[in-house]
Every structure is written in structure tokens, then in C-alpha cells.
Amino acid sequence: MLTIGKLGSKAGVKVPTIRYYEQIGLLPEAERSAGNQRLYGSKALERLAFIRHARDLGFTLEAIRDLLSLSDNPDQSCAAADAIAKAQLLEVENRLARLTALKAELERMVVQCAGGRIADCRVIEVLGDHSLCATDHLHPETEETP
Amino acid sequence: MLTIGKLGSKAGVKVPTIRYYEQIGLLPEAERSAGNQRLYGSKALERLAFIRHARDLGFTLEAIRDLLSLSDNPDQSCAAADAIAKAQLLEVENRLARLTALKAELERMVVQCAGGRIADCRVIEVLGDHSLCATDHLHPETEETP
DNA sequence: CTAATGTCTCTAGCAACTATAGCTTCAAGG
DNA sequence: CCTTGAAGCTATAGTTGCTAGAGACATTAG
């Protein structure tokens, strides 16, 4: 049995994050020791690794919740899991496209900066006027993890 | 003079967002009409467009605050503005690299899904075991806007 | 046995908004 | 002139995915 700290270091997840996952129901309530400390077995480690990996791949906790409940019922069709992954792929492709446009724009800005005074600075100028942009890099839709 | 709604639709920014920007000091306190409604002139529109554009380019509000204070004092060297833009460019390049690895992994997952039962689903399987991954798509470091 | 970690709960904070509630003001139609 | 509906106001709370802190108990190394 692992304490929360051991579990965290094995899975590469910080301790408060584990407690947070338990709190929002992604992880089941842990067993407790006599002294009320959480104890975890290998199943919890697997589940946490799953969550961690899916987070690394950019899935939201909501999507992960769905994926976990799918993997808890292994007899169903995997169409749902496939759909979630495909949606995530689309999302990522979208962001890639936007980021690529952004990068081009930032490069243009930086290259054109003459290094003189602010009054001549292309960075400031371009930021003040979207029509100076070469591409449309619109509304990156603030979200989290790619 | 524009009302907050007109300003918002001209700049492509939602009304509560404008009030929020005022609240955190990115926009100066607006003039008020007799009936206490905010009124904006063209300077405010420019400033808001600047903010909006910089947000679209992925700058944080903190970076934007700095850029605005630079553009408010146009007699300085533009080295600072240039540095902010360069840092932002690096950031974007980083994210691009990570996203590209992610995309490859997601594509692999999706392609390999045979469409059978969860028990055989590659999506679930890969999520449970990082060693099945072809690339290192590690820790995308949760942030906002690309 | 003591000191140093580790863990516990609870609360508050981060970015960058968005949404809600309950009110006032404004512009246009009848 | 009056009413109705949209748009504005303030203030507060919620969102996502954590992270940080306080103050108290548990465990372990020396």
C-alpha cells in the first residue's frame, strides 16, 4: 500500500492534485490507515496514471471522466471512446492551425522591429492595427492545456 | 461617443469583458453619461483593439499591461517591446512543438481503434500506458490562449 | 524521545473571463 | 406622453485545473 506522497511520485502527480481528483470524484475515496491517512493500491496507481496521461494529451477532466467510465465497463462498444478521442484530435488540429498563424505573425513583428524608439516600433504598431497582419489568427478561444 | 455595447461590437469584445478590463486597470475609467452609463471615444476603441489583438496573439494580460505602458511612452527604446514579443514567440514555438507531438499520438490512437469493444480499444489502452506512445508529449503545462 | 518530515482538513488564490440577480436608463412605437 | 423592451448598472459567484497557505495530527529516523 502506498501513501499519497509515494503514489504521487510514482505517477508524477502532486499530492494536492490527487486529493483534488478524489474530491471531484475522478478517483474513488481512498482507504484510510489507522491514523486516517490515505492508502492506495496498484489499481489507484493505474487509474491515476491514466488520468495523468490523458491530461498530458490535452483531454479535459470532463472528457477523462467519460473515458474512465467507459473503461470501467469494458463490454460496451468503443465508439464513444473513439468519438472523444476524435473530438480531441480536431481540437488539437484547430489549435495547431491557429498557433501556426500566430507564430508567423510574431515572427513578422519581431523581424520588422527596427530597434529604434517605440514610436517606430512595429511590435506596438502591429498590435494596434490588425490590418497590418498577414494572416487571420483570430480568437484563439482561451482554453487550457493543448 | 460610444456606449459600452457599441464599443464591444466594434472591437469584437464582450461587454462584461470591457468592464473587467476597466476593473483591472487595463482600460482607464470611462467617462459617464448623465445616467451613469459608460461612454467611450476613439482612443478607448484603439486601446481596446490593441488589447484584443494582443490577446488574439496569445499575450497574457500582464504582458499586455507592459506593452500598453510602453506604447503610452513612445520615446523610449523599443527593446523592451521587442523582448516581450520575442519571449512570446518562444512560448508559441514551444507550444507548437508539444501540440505537434500530441497530434501524432492522438492520430495513432484514433487510427488504431478497431471499433470493437472497449476491452480491445486502443484509445483506452494507450491512455492507460504511456509506454505505448511513439513520442514524448509530456507535460503540456496548462496555460491559456495559444 | 525528539525532531523532522509527511499528511490531514479547510480555505483562499491564480488567469481571464462568464453568468446571474436585481436594479436603472434609454430609445422607439403607439 | 407613456410604455415596453433592450441595454446598461453594480455586485457577487462560478468556471477549469489546479496551487498555496494555515494549523493540527501521524509517522519515521536518529
Side-chain angles (χ1 to χ4, degrees):
Chain A
M1 287 306 225
L2 300 163
T3 63
I4 197 171
K6 300 272 164 60
L7 178 70
S9 54
K10 283 213 186 205
V13 175
K14 288 178 191 152
V15 167
T17 305
I18 298 173
R19 290 197 277 247
Y20 170 71
Y21 287 162
E22 179 181 313
Q23 191 195 309
I24 64 170
L26 270 193
L27 290 174
E29 297 202 1
E31 270 180 71
R32 297 298 181 114
S33 73
N36 196 37
Q37 303 198 344
R38 289 172 180 82
L39 291 178
Y40 299 91
S42 57
K43 260 180 63 179
L45 177 55
E46 273 170 41
R47 197 174 178 93
L48 185 53
F50 183 106
I51 296 171
R52 169 76 191 165
H53 194 197
R55 284 297 293 135
D56 284 349
L57 285 167
F59 290 88
T60 64
L61 292 183
E62 251 343 280
I64 293 172
R65 198 188 291 280
D66 293 346
L67 288 167
L68 278 169
S69 90
L70 290 168
S71 89
D72 288 342
N73 311 19
D75 284 335
Q76 306 170 208
S77 149
C78 83
D82 195 44
I84 294 173
K86 276 185 176 143
Q88 180 61 18
L89 179 56
L90 265 182
E91 181 55 44
V92 165
E93 279 168 348
N94 249 315
R95 288 199 210 185
L96 259 176
R98 281 180 282 142
L99 262 190
T100 305
L102 248 66
K103 177 174 174 251
E105 219 46 68
L106 282 168
E107 273 169 348
R108 260 170 40 90
M109 274 172 45
V110 166
V111 164
Q112 291 178 354
C113 174
R117 288 171 318 116
I118 291 283
D120 317 310
C121 184
R122 292 291 293 178
V123 173
I124 299 284
E125 193 180 330
V126 170
L127 285 175
D129 186 357
H130 177 70
S131 70
L132 296 175
C133 281
T135 56
D136 264 356
H137 47 74
L138 294 171
H139 337 123
E141 266 139 47
T142 297
E143 277 156 58
E144 38 60 78
T145 299
Chain B
M1 287 307 223
L2 300 163
T3 62
I4 196 169
K6 298 274 163 59
L7 177 69
S9 56
K10 284 212 186 203
V13 176
K14 287 177 192 153
V15 167
T17 304
I18 299 174
R19 291 197 276 246
Y20 169 72
Y21 286 162
E22 178 181 315
Q23 191 194 311
I24 63 169
L26 270 193
L27 291 175
E29 297 201 2
E31 271 180 69
R32 298 297 182 115
S33 73
N36 196 37
Q37 304 199 341
R38 289 173 181 82
L39 292 177
Y40 299 92
S42 55
K43 259 181 63 179
L45 177 55
E46 274 171 39
R47 196 172 178 95
L48 185 54
F50 183 105
I51 295 171
R52 168 78 191 163
H53 194 194
R55 285 296 294 134
D56 283 349
L57 285 168
F59 291 87
T60 65
L61 292 183
E62 252 341 278
I64 293 170
R65 200 187 290 280
D66 292 347
L67 287 168
L68 279 169
S69 90
L70 289 169
S71 89
D72 289 342
N73 311 19
D75 284 336
Q76 307 168 209
S77 152
C78 81
D82 195 43
I84 294 172
K86 276 185 177 141
Q88 185 62 19
L89 179 55
L90 263 183
E91 184 49 51
V92 166
E93 280 168 349
N94 255 319
R95 286 197 213 186
L96 260 176
R98 281 183 276 130
L99 263 190
T100 305
L102 249 65
K103 177 173 173 251
E105 219 46 67
L106 284 167
E107 271 170 348
R108 260 169 40 91
M109 273 173 46
V110 165
V111 164
Q112 291 178 356
C113 174
R117 288 171 319 119
I118 291 283
D120 316 310
C121 185
R122 289 293 291 177
V123 172
I124 298 287
E125 191 182 346
V126 170
L127 284 174
D129 185 357
H130 178 66
S131 71
L132 297 175
C133 281
T135 58
D136 264 356
H137 48 73
L138 296 170
H139 334 125
E141 266 139 46
T142 298
E143 276 156 58
E144 38 61 77
T145 301

Short mmCIF file of all heavy atoms in Angstrom, two decimals, chain A residues 61-119:
data_model
loop_
_atom_site.label_atom_id
_atom_site.label_comp_id
_atom_site.label_asym_id
_atom_site.label_seq_id
_atom_site.Cartn_x
_atom_site.Cartn_y
_atom_site.Cartn_z
N LEU A 61 -10.78 17.31 -17.91
CA LEU A 61 -11.19 16.40 -16.85
C LEU A 61 -12.57 15.83 -17.15
O LEU A 61 -12.85 14.68 -16.83
CB LEU A 61 -11.18 17.12 -15.50
CG LEU A 61 -9.79 17.51 -14.98
CD1 LEU A 61 -9.89 18.14 -13.60
CD2 LEU A 61 -8.85 16.32 -14.94
N GLU A 62 -13.41 16.60 -17.77
CA GLU A 62 -14.74 16.09 -18.15
C GLU A 62 -14.61 14.93 -19.12
O GLU A 62 -15.25 13.88 -18.97
CB GLU A 62 -15.59 17.21 -18.76
CG GLU A 62 -16.71 17.70 -17.88
CD GLU A 62 -17.07 16.74 -16.75
OE1 GLU A 62 -17.80 15.76 -17.02
OE2 GLU A 62 -16.65 16.93 -15.59
N ALA A 63 -13.78 15.11 -20.15
CA ALA A 63 -13.57 14.03 -21.12
C ALA A 63 -12.97 12.81 -20.44
O ALA A 63 -13.35 11.67 -20.72
CB ALA A 63 -12.66 14.52 -22.25
N ILE A 64 -12.06 13.06 -19.52
CA ILE A 64 -11.42 11.95 -18.81
C ILE A 64 -12.43 11.21 -17.96
O ILE A 64 -12.42 9.99 -17.88
CB ILE A 64 -10.26 12.48 -17.95
CG1 ILE A 64 -9.15 13.01 -18.86
CG2 ILE A 64 -9.72 11.39 -17.04
CD1 ILE A 64 -8.04 13.73 -18.15
N ARG A 65 -13.32 11.96 -17.36
CA ARG A 65 -14.37 11.32 -16.58
C ARG A 65 -15.15 10.34 -17.46
O ARG A 65 -15.42 9.20 -17.07
CB ARG A 65 -15.31 12.40 -16.03
CG ARG A 65 -16.17 11.98 -14.88
CD ARG A 65 -17.19 13.04 -14.54
NE ARG A 65 -16.61 14.26 -13.95
CZ ARG A 65 -16.25 14.37 -12.67
NH1 ARG A 65 -16.39 13.34 -11.86
NH2 ARG A 65 -15.75 15.50 -12.21
N ASP A 66 -15.47 10.78 -18.66
CA ASP A 66 -16.20 9.91 -19.58
C ASP A 66 -15.36 8.70 -19.98
O ASP A 66 -15.85 7.57 -19.99
CB ASP A 66 -16.59 10.69 -20.85
CG ASP A 66 -17.63 11.76 -20.55
OD1 ASP A 66 -18.24 11.73 -19.45
OD2 ASP A 66 -17.85 12.63 -21.40
N LEU A 67 -14.10 8.97 -20.30
CA LEU A 67 -13.22 7.86 -20.72
C LEU A 67 -13.08 6.84 -19.60
O LEU A 67 -13.09 5.62 -19.84
CB LEU A 67 -11.85 8.41 -21.11
CG LEU A 67 -11.81 9.17 -22.44
CD1 LEU A 67 -10.50 9.94 -22.59
CD2 LEU A 67 -12.00 8.23 -23.62
N LEU A 68 -12.97 7.33 -18.38
CA LEU A 68 -12.82 6.42 -17.25
C LEU A 68 -14.07 5.57 -17.08
O LEU A 68 -13.98 4.36 -16.83
CB LEU A 68 -12.55 7.20 -15.97
CG LEU A 68 -11.10 7.64 -15.75
CD1 LEU A 68 -11.01 8.61 -14.60
CD2 LEU A 68 -10.21 6.43 -15.48
N SER A 69 -15.23 6.20 -17.22
CA SER A 69 -16.43 5.41 -17.00
C SER A 69 -16.60 4.40 -18.15
O SER A 69 -17.12 3.31 -17.95
CB SER A 69 -17.66 6.30 -16.83
OG SER A 69 -18.25 6.54 -18.07
N LEU A 70 -16.09 4.75 -19.32
CA LEU A 70 -16.07 3.76 -20.41
C LEU A 70 -15.15 2.59 -20.05
O LEU A 70 -15.52 1.43 -20.18
CB LEU A 70 -15.59 4.41 -21.70
CG LEU A 70 -16.58 5.40 -22.33
CD1 LEU A 70 -15.92 6.20 -23.43
CD2 LEU A 70 -17.79 4.65 -22.86
N SER A 71 -13.97 2.95 -19.58
CA SER A 71 -13.02 1.87 -19.32
C SER A 71 -13.44 1.03 -18.10
O SER A 71 -12.97 -0.07 -17.92
CB SER A 71 -11.61 2.41 -19.15
OG SER A 71 -11.36 2.75 -17.82
N ASP A 72 -14.36 1.58 -17.31
CA ASP A 72 -14.89 0.78 -16.21
C ASP A 72 -15.91 -0.25 -16.68
O ASP A 72 -16.23 -1.19 -15.96
CB ASP A 72 -15.53 1.70 -15.15
CG ASP A 72 -14.47 2.47 -14.37
OD1 ASP A 72 -13.29 2.07 -14.40
OD2 ASP A 72 -14.82 3.49 -13.74
N ASN A 73 -16.47 -0.04 -17.87
CA ASN A 73 -17.43 -1.00 -18.43
C ASN A 73 -16.89 -1.54 -19.74
O ASN A 73 -17.32 -1.11 -20.81
CB ASN A 73 -18.77 -0.35 -18.74
CG ASN A 73 -19.31 0.47 -17.59
OD1 ASN A 73 -18.59 0.86 -16.67
ND2 ASN A 73 -20.60 0.72 -17.63
N PRO A 74 -16.00 -2.50 -19.70
CA PRO A 74 -15.24 -2.85 -20.90
C PRO A 74 -16.05 -3.63 -21.93
O PRO A 74 -15.50 -3.99 -22.97
CB PRO A 74 -14.11 -3.74 -20.35
CG PRO A 74 -14.28 -3.75 -18.87
CD PRO A 74 -15.64 -3.31 -18.57
N ASP A 75 -17.33 -3.87 -21.65
CA ASP A 75 -18.08 -4.68 -22.61
C ASP A 75 -18.85 -3.88 -23.64
O ASP A 75 -19.43 -4.42 -24.57
CB ASP A 75 -19.05 -5.61 -21.86
CG ASP A 75 -18.29 -6.78 -21.25
OD1 ASP A 75 -17.21 -7.09 -21.78
OD2 ASP A 75 -18.77 -7.34 -20.26
N GLN A 76 -18.83 -2.56 -23.46
CA GLN A 76 -19.57 -1.75 -24.43
C GLN A 76 -18.76 -1.56 -25.72
O GLN A 76 -17.59 -1.89 -25.78
CB GLN A 76 -19.82 -0.36 -23.85
CG GLN A 76 -20.50 -0.37 -22.51
CD GLN A 76 -20.49 1.01 -21.91
OE1 GLN A 76 -20.50 1.17 -20.71
NE2 GLN A 76 -20.42 2.04 -22.75
N SER A 77 -19.43 -0.96 -26.67
CA SER A 77 -18.73 -0.59 -27.89
C SER A 77 -17.75 0.53 -27.59
O SER A 77 -17.98 1.35 -26.69
CB SER A 77 -19.74 -0.11 -28.93
OG SER A 77 -19.16 0.86 -29.78
N CYS A 78 -16.69 0.59 -28.33
CA CYS A 78 -15.73 1.65 -28.04
C CYS A 78 -15.99 2.88 -28.90
O CYS A 78 -15.16 3.77 -28.96
CB CYS A 78 -14.30 1.15 -28.20
SG CYS A 78 -13.69 1.17 -29.87
N ALA A 79 -17.14 2.93 -29.53
CA ALA A 79 -17.45 4.07 -30.39
C ALA A 79 -17.37 5.38 -29.60
O ALA A 79 -16.85 6.39 -30.10
CB ALA A 79 -18.84 3.91 -31.00
N ALA A 80 -17.84 5.35 -28.37
CA ALA A 80 -17.84 6.58 -27.57
C ALA A 80 -16.42 7.05 -27.29
O ALA A 80 -16.12 8.25 -27.42
CB ALA A 80 -18.59 6.35 -26.27
N ALA A 81 -15.57 6.12 -26.92
CA ALA A 81 -14.18 6.47 -26.65
C ALA A 81 -13.53 7.04 -27.91
O ALA A 81 -12.81 8.05 -27.88
CB ALA A 81 -13.40 5.25 -26.17
N ASP A 82 -13.84 6.39 -29.00
CA ASP A 82 -13.31 6.84 -30.28
C ASP A 82 -13.77 8.27 -30.59
O ASP A 82 -12.98 9.11 -31.02
CB ASP A 82 -13.82 5.88 -31.36
CG ASP A 82 -13.05 6.04 -32.66
OD1 ASP A 82 -11.81 6.16 -32.58
OD2 ASP A 82 -13.69 6.07 -33.73
N ALA A 83 -15.04 8.53 -30.31
CA ALA A 83 -15.58 9.86 -30.59
C ALA A 83 -14.88 10.92 -29.73
O ALA A 83 -14.53 12.00 -30.23
CB ALA A 83 -17.08 9.88 -30.32
N ILE A 84 -14.65 10.61 -28.48
CA ILE A 84 -13.98 11.56 -27.59
C ILE A 84 -12.57 11.84 -28.10
O ILE A 84 -12.14 13.00 -28.18
CB ILE A 84 -13.93 11.01 -26.15
CG1 ILE A 84 -15.35 10.92 -25.58
CG2 ILE A 84 -13.07 11.90 -25.26
CD1 ILE A 84 -15.42 10.22 -24.23
N ALA A 85 -11.87 10.78 -28.48
CA ALA A 85 -10.51 10.96 -28.97
C ALA A 85 -10.49 11.77 -30.27
O ALA A 85 -9.65 12.63 -30.48
CB ALA A 85 -9.84 9.61 -29.18
N LYS A 86 -11.48 11.49 -31.12
CA LYS A 86 -11.54 12.23 -32.38
C LYS A 86 -11.82 13.70 -32.16
O LYS A 86 -11.26 14.57 -32.83
CB LYS A 86 -12.60 11.62 -33.30
CG LYS A 86 -12.07 10.43 -34.09
CD LYS A 86 -13.08 9.90 -35.09
CE LYS A 86 -12.49 8.78 -35.92
NZ LYS A 86 -13.46 7.69 -36.21
N ALA A 87 -12.71 13.98 -31.22
CA ALA A 87 -13.01 15.37 -30.90
C ALA A 87 -11.74 16.07 -30.41
O ALA A 87 -11.45 17.21 -30.77
CB ALA A 87 -14.11 15.45 -29.85
N GLN A 88 -11.01 15.37 -29.58
CA GLN A 88 -9.78 15.93 -29.04
C GLN A 88 -8.78 16.19 -30.17
O GLN A 88 -8.10 17.21 -30.19
CB GLN A 88 -9.19 14.96 -28.01
CG GLN A 88 -7.90 15.41 -27.38
CD GLN A 88 -8.05 16.70 -26.62
OE1 GLN A 88 -9.16 17.09 -26.30
NE2 GLN A 88 -6.95 17.37 -26.38
N LEU A 89 -8.74 15.27 -31.11
CA LEU A 89 -7.83 15.44 -32.23
C LEU A 89 -8.19 16.68 -33.05
O LEU A 89 -7.33 17.49 -33.41
CB LEU A 89 -7.87 14.19 -33.12
CG LEU A 89 -6.99 14.21 -34.37
CD1 LEU A 89 -5.54 14.47 -34.02
CD2 LEU A 89 -7.10 12.88 -35.12
N LEU A 90 -9.48 16.84 -33.28
CA LEU A 90 -9.94 18.02 -34.00
C LEU A 90 -9.52 19.31 -33.30
O LEU A 90 -9.00 20.25 -33.92
CB LEU A 90 -11.47 18.01 -34.11
CG LEU A 90 -12.02 17.42 -35.40
CD1 LEU A 90 -13.53 17.50 -35.39
CD2 LEU A 90 -11.44 18.19 -36.60
N GLU A 91 -9.79 19.32 -32.01
CA GLU A 91 -9.44 20.44 -31.15
C GLU A 91 -7.94 20.77 -31.29
O GLU A 91 -7.55 21.93 -31.48
CB GLU A 91 -9.77 19.98 -29.72
CG GLU A 91 -9.54 20.94 -28.59
CD GLU A 91 -10.24 22.25 -28.76
OE1 GLU A 91 -11.42 22.26 -29.17
OE2 GLU A 91 -9.58 23.29 -28.50
N VAL A 92 -7.14 19.74 -31.24
CA VAL A 92 -5.70 19.94 -31.33
C VAL A 92 -5.31 20.46 -32.71
O VAL A 92 -4.47 21.35 -32.84
CB VAL A 92 -4.96 18.61 -31.02
CG1 VAL A 92 -3.50 18.69 -31.45
CG2 VAL A 92 -5.03 18.30 -29.54
N GLU A 93 -5.95 19.95 -33.72
CA GLU A 93 -5.64 20.41 -35.08
C GLU A 93 -5.99 21.89 -35.25
O GLU A 93 -5.26 22.65 -35.86
CB GLU A 93 -6.38 19.55 -36.11
CG GLU A 93 -5.65 18.24 -36.36
CD GLU A 93 -6.47 17.23 -37.14
OE1 GLU A 93 -7.70 17.43 -37.32
OE2 GLU A 93 -5.87 16.22 -37.56
N ASN A 94 -7.12 22.25 -34.66
CA ASN A 94 -7.53 23.64 -34.66
C ASN A 94 -6.48 24.54 -34.04
O ASN A 94 -6.10 25.57 -34.58
CB ASN A 94 -8.78 23.78 -33.81
CG ASN A 94 -9.95 24.11 -34.65
OD1 ASN A 94 -9.82 24.97 -35.51
ND2 ASN A 94 -11.06 23.44 -34.43
N ARG A 95 -6.06 24.14 -32.86
CA ARG A 95 -5.09 24.95 -32.15
C ARG A 95 -3.79 25.04 -32.91
O ARG A 95 -3.14 26.08 -32.91
CB ARG A 95 -4.81 24.34 -30.79
CG ARG A 95 -5.96 24.53 -29.88
CD ARG A 95 -5.50 24.35 -28.48
NE ARG A 95 -6.61 23.82 -27.70
CZ ARG A 95 -6.56 23.65 -26.40
NH1 ARG A 95 -5.46 23.90 -25.76
NH2 ARG A 95 -7.61 23.19 -25.78
N LEU A 96 -3.42 23.93 -33.52
CA LEU A 96 -2.19 23.94 -34.29
C LEU A 96 -2.27 24.97 -35.41
O LEU A 96 -1.33 25.75 -35.62
CB LEU A 96 -1.96 22.56 -34.91
CG LEU A 96 -0.96 21.68 -34.18
CD1 LEU A 96 -0.89 20.32 -34.84
CD2 LEU A 96 0.41 22.33 -34.20
N ALA A 97 -3.39 24.98 -36.09
CA ALA A 97 -3.54 25.92 -37.20
C ALA A 97 -3.43 27.36 -36.70
O ALA A 97 -2.72 28.19 -37.27
CB ALA A 97 -4.89 25.70 -37.88
N ARG A 98 -4.13 27.63 -35.59
CA ARG A 98 -4.11 28.99 -35.07
C ARG A 98 -2.72 29.37 -34.58
O ARG A 98 -2.22 30.46 -34.86
CB ARG A 98 -5.12 29.14 -33.94
CG ARG A 98 -6.54 29.30 -34.47
CD ARG A 98 -7.51 29.45 -33.33
NE ARG A 98 -7.79 28.16 -32.72
CZ ARG A 98 -7.97 27.95 -31.44
NH1 ARG A 98 -7.91 28.94 -30.61
NH2 ARG A 98 -8.21 26.76 -30.98
N LEU A 99 -2.09 28.44 -33.90
CA LEU A 99 -0.76 28.72 -33.38
C LEU A 99 0.23 28.97 -34.51
O LEU A 99 1.12 29.82 -34.40
CB LEU A 99 -0.26 27.55 -32.55
CG LEU A 99 -0.41 27.65 -31.04
CD1 LEU A 99 0.36 26.52 -30.38
CD2 LEU A 99 0.11 28.98 -30.54
N THR A 100 0.07 28.25 -35.58
CA THR A 100 0.98 28.42 -36.71
C THR A 100 0.84 29.82 -37.30
O THR A 100 1.84 30.50 -37.58
CB THR A 100 0.69 27.34 -37.77
OG1 THR A 100 0.77 26.07 -37.13
CG2 THR A 100 1.70 27.41 -38.88
N ALA A 101 -0.39 30.28 -37.42
CA ALA A 101 -0.63 31.64 -37.92
C ALA A 101 -0.03 32.66 -36.96
O ALA A 101 0.62 33.64 -37.38
CB ALA A 101 -2.12 31.87 -38.10
N LEU A 102 -0.23 32.41 -35.68
CA LEU A 102 0.31 33.30 -34.66
C LEU A 102 1.81 33.42 -34.76
O LEU A 102 2.37 34.51 -34.64
CB LEU A 102 0.02 32.70 -33.30
CG LEU A 102 -0.94 33.43 -32.44
CD1 LEU A 102 -2.29 33.38 -33.09
CD2 LEU A 102 -1.00 32.76 -31.10
N LYS A 103 2.43 32.29 -34.93
CA LYS A 103 3.89 32.26 -34.97
C LYS A 103 4.39 33.11 -36.13
O LYS A 103 5.30 33.91 -35.98
CB LYS A 103 4.36 30.81 -35.12
CG LYS A 103 5.85 30.70 -35.24
CD LYS A 103 6.29 29.24 -35.25
CE LYS A 103 7.77 29.12 -35.53
NZ LYS A 103 8.08 28.57 -36.83
N ALA A 104 3.74 32.95 -37.27
CA ALA A 104 4.14 33.73 -38.45
C ALA A 104 4.02 35.22 -38.14
O ALA A 104 4.91 36.02 -38.46
CB ALA A 104 3.26 33.35 -39.63
N GLU A 105 2.93 35.57 -37.47
CA GLU A 105 2.69 36.98 -37.18
C GLU A 105 3.73 37.53 -36.21
O GLU A 105 4.27 38.63 -36.40
CB GLU A 105 1.28 37.12 -36.59
CG GLU A 105 0.55 38.31 -37.06
CD GLU A 105 0.65 38.49 -38.55
OE1 GLU A 105 0.10 37.68 -39.33
OE2 GLU A 105 1.31 39.47 -38.95
N LEU A 106 4.01 36.76 -35.19
CA LEU A 106 5.00 37.20 -34.22
C LEU A 106 6.38 37.33 -34.87
O LEU A 106 7.13 38.26 -34.58
CB LEU A 106 5.07 36.21 -33.05
CG LEU A 106 3.95 36.35 -32.04
CD1 LEU A 106 3.93 35.16 -31.10
CD2 LEU A 106 4.11 37.63 -31.24
N GLU A 107 6.69 36.40 -35.75
CA GLU A 107 7.98 36.47 -36.43
C GLU A 107 8.08 37.75 -37.27
O GLU A 107 9.09 38.43 -37.26
CB GLU A 107 8.18 35.24 -37.33
CG GLU A 107 8.79 34.08 -36.57
CD GLU A 107 8.74 32.79 -37.35
OE1 GLU A 107 8.05 32.71 -38.39
OE2 GLU A 107 9.39 31.82 -36.89
N ARG A 108 7.01 38.03 -37.98
CA ARG A 108 6.98 39.26 -38.76
C ARG A 108 7.21 40.48 -37.87
O ARG A 108 8.00 41.36 -38.19
CB ARG A 108 5.63 39.39 -39.45
CG ARG A 108 5.62 38.98 -40.92
CD ARG A 108 4.21 38.90 -41.47
NE ARG A 108 3.33 39.96 -41.02
CZ ARG A 108 3.17 41.14 -41.64
NH1 ARG A 108 3.82 41.38 -42.76
NH2 ARG A 108 2.36 42.04 -41.17
N MET A 109 6.50 40.49 -36.73
CA MET A 109 6.62 41.61 -35.82
C MET A 109 8.05 41.79 -35.36
O MET A 109 8.60 42.89 -35.36
CB MET A 109 5.73 41.39 -34.60
CG MET A 109 4.30 41.84 -34.79
SD MET A 109 3.22 41.36 -33.41
CE MET A 109 4.19 41.79 -32.01
N VAL A 110 8.64 40.68 -34.95
CA VAL A 110 9.97 40.76 -34.38
C VAL A 110 11.01 41.14 -35.43
O VAL A 110 11.88 41.98 -35.19
CB VAL A 110 10.33 39.41 -33.71
CG1 VAL A 110 11.81 39.34 -33.40
CG2 VAL A 110 9.52 39.22 -32.44
N VAL A 111 10.88 40.53 -36.59
CA VAL A 111 11.84 40.82 -37.67
C VAL A 111 11.79 42.30 -38.06
O VAL A 111 12.81 42.94 -38.31
CB VAL A 111 11.55 39.93 -38.89
CG1 VAL A 111 12.25 40.48 -40.13
CG2 VAL A 111 12.01 38.51 -38.63
N GLN A 112 10.57 42.83 -38.09
CA GLN A 112 10.43 44.20 -38.57
C GLN A 112 10.80 45.26 -37.55
O GLN A 112 10.93 46.42 -37.90
CB GLN A 112 9.00 44.43 -39.04
CG GLN A 112 8.68 43.65 -40.30
CD GLN A 112 7.24 43.86 -40.72
OE1 GLN A 112 6.47 44.50 -40.02
NE2 GLN A 112 6.89 43.31 -41.87
N CYS A 113 10.94 44.85 -36.32
CA CYS A 113 11.28 45.84 -35.29
C CYS A 113 12.65 46.41 -35.58
O CYS A 113 13.65 45.70 -35.61
CB CYS A 113 11.26 45.22 -33.90
SG CYS A 113 11.84 46.34 -32.64
N ALA A 114 12.71 47.68 -35.81
CA ALA A 114 13.97 48.28 -36.25
C ALA A 114 14.93 48.50 -35.08
O ALA A 114 16.08 48.84 -35.27
CB ALA A 114 13.69 49.59 -36.95
N GLY A 115 14.46 48.33 -33.87
CA GLY A 115 15.33 48.56 -32.73
C GLY A 115 15.52 50.02 -32.40
O GLY A 115 16.45 50.40 -31.70
N GLY A 116 14.61 50.84 -32.87
CA GLY A 116 14.74 52.27 -32.60
C GLY A 116 13.90 52.69 -31.41
O GLY A 116 13.97 52.08 -30.36
N ARG A 117 13.10 53.72 -31.56
CA ARG A 117 12.25 54.16 -30.47
C ARG A 117 10.87 53.52 -30.61
O ARG A 117 10.50 53.04 -31.67
CB ARG A 117 12.10 55.69 -30.50
CG ARG A 117 13.36 56.44 -30.07
CD ARG A 117 13.17 57.93 -30.34
NE ARG A 117 12.54 58.13 -31.65
CZ ARG A 117 11.33 58.68 -31.80
NH1 ARG A 117 10.67 59.12 -30.77
NH2 ARG A 117 10.83 58.82 -33.00
N ILE A 118 10.13 53.57 -29.51
CA ILE A 118 8.80 52.99 -29.50
C ILE A 118 7.96 53.54 -30.65
O ILE A 118 7.19 52.85 -31.28
CB ILE A 118 8.09 53.30 -28.17
CG1 ILE A 118 8.77 52.53 -27.04
CG2 ILE A 118 6.63 52.93 -28.23
CD1 ILE A 118 8.43 51.09 -26.97
N ALA A 119 8.15 54.82 -30.90
CA ALA A 119 7.32 55.46 -31.92
C ALA A 119 7.44 54.77 -33.28
O ALA A 119 6.50 54.79 -34.07
CB ALA A 119 7.70 56.94 -32.06
#
